[in-house]
Amino acid sequence: LVHGDVFRAPTNAGLLAVYVGTGAQVLGMAAVTMVFALLGFLSPANRGGLMTAMLLLYVFMGALAGYVAARLYKTFGGTAWRANTIKTATMFPGIVGIVFFVLNLFIWGQKSSGAVPFGTLFALLLMWFCISVPLVFIGSYFGYKQPPIEAPTRTNQIPRVVPEQPWYMSAPFCTLVGGILPFGAVFIELF
């Protein structure tokens, strides 16, 4: 019964494609970092070497993010490929960069030596716009050249009606319970 509905394109297919592309980028960065660390290329004695390798690998994995996001977006039948590629290139790094910059402003305000210098922030911004964004566009170019992913079953024309869920299966309640349980465990351990 469900096989005719599971491969239906979601309502926010573009955002899902962006999130999956960004997830592929982070997963690729983590996998290559782990392999390099296992092979002994990243020594714990070299302070900052692991973080530098992760940042560089994240930037270069932009091509993978563009490819995966474009291929999934094309599978969902999306037509605004430029907007999807720009979102893939800017959404996650932009949010993380803004949060990092605001937190760094507070550290600067306290005159701490742990603040990231402005030159380093500018270099990160240049790496993002001059290397990562073009790589995302290159990856999405090759992703859109590929045929869409074929579903193994045919999708029904009319979607099935989803039955009404009980109150404890609602999104706000599940979000609260999913957050309260780990918070409670950590709180009990710490205090």
Side-chain angles (χ1 to χ4, degrees), residues 34-67:
M34 293 277 200
V35 168
F36 282 174
L38 284 172
L39 294 176
F41 294 131
L42 299 173
S43 172
N46 181 9
R47 293 194 66 212
L50 182 66
M51 185 59 69
T52 303
M54 288 174 63
L55 279 172
L56 286 174
L57 285 170
Y58 181 80
V59 166
F60 290 122
M61 290 290 170
L64 179 66
Y67 180 83

Side-chain angles (χ1 to χ4, degrees), residues 13-23 69 72 83-85 87-89 91-92:
L15 279 179
L16 179 62
V18 168
Y19 294 153
V20 171
T22 302
L72 192 60
N84 183 53
T85 305
K87 285 179 193 173
T88 303
M91 186 175 282
F92 181 73

Side-chain angles (χ1 to χ4, degrees), residues 50-138:
L50 182 66
M51 185 59 69
T52 303
M54 288 174 63
L55 279 172
L56 286 174
L57 285 170
Y58 181 80
V59 166
F60 290 122
M61 290 290 170
L64 179 66
Y67 180 83
V68 170
R71 189 94 190 268
L72 192 60
Y73 188 64
K74 188 175 182 180
T75 300
F76 290 148
T79 56
W81 65 272
R82 286 185 186 97
N84 183 53
T85 305
I86 290 172
K87 285 179 193 173
T88 303
T90 58
M91 186 175 282
F92 181 73
I95 292 170
V96 170
I98 288 171
V99 168
F100 182 77
F101 182 72
V102 169
L103 291 176
N104 200 41
L105 283 178
F106 288 119
I107 296 173
W108 274 343
Q110 293 296 321
K111 307 231 185 310
S112 171
S113 62
V116 177
F118 181 74
T120 304
L121 290 177
F122 187 70
L124 288 173
L125 196 67
L126 278 179
M127 278 179 29
W128 177 27
F129 280 114
C130 296
I131 300 172
S132 183
V133 172
L135 283 175
V136 171
F137 272 91
I138 290 169

Side-chain angles (χ1 to χ4, degrees), residues 6-30:
V6 293
F7 293 107
R8 185 179 314 283
T11 53
N12 291 323
L15 279 179
L16 179 62
V18 168
Y19 294 153
V20 171
T22 302
Q25 184 177 12
V26 172
L27 184 68
M29 176 219 39

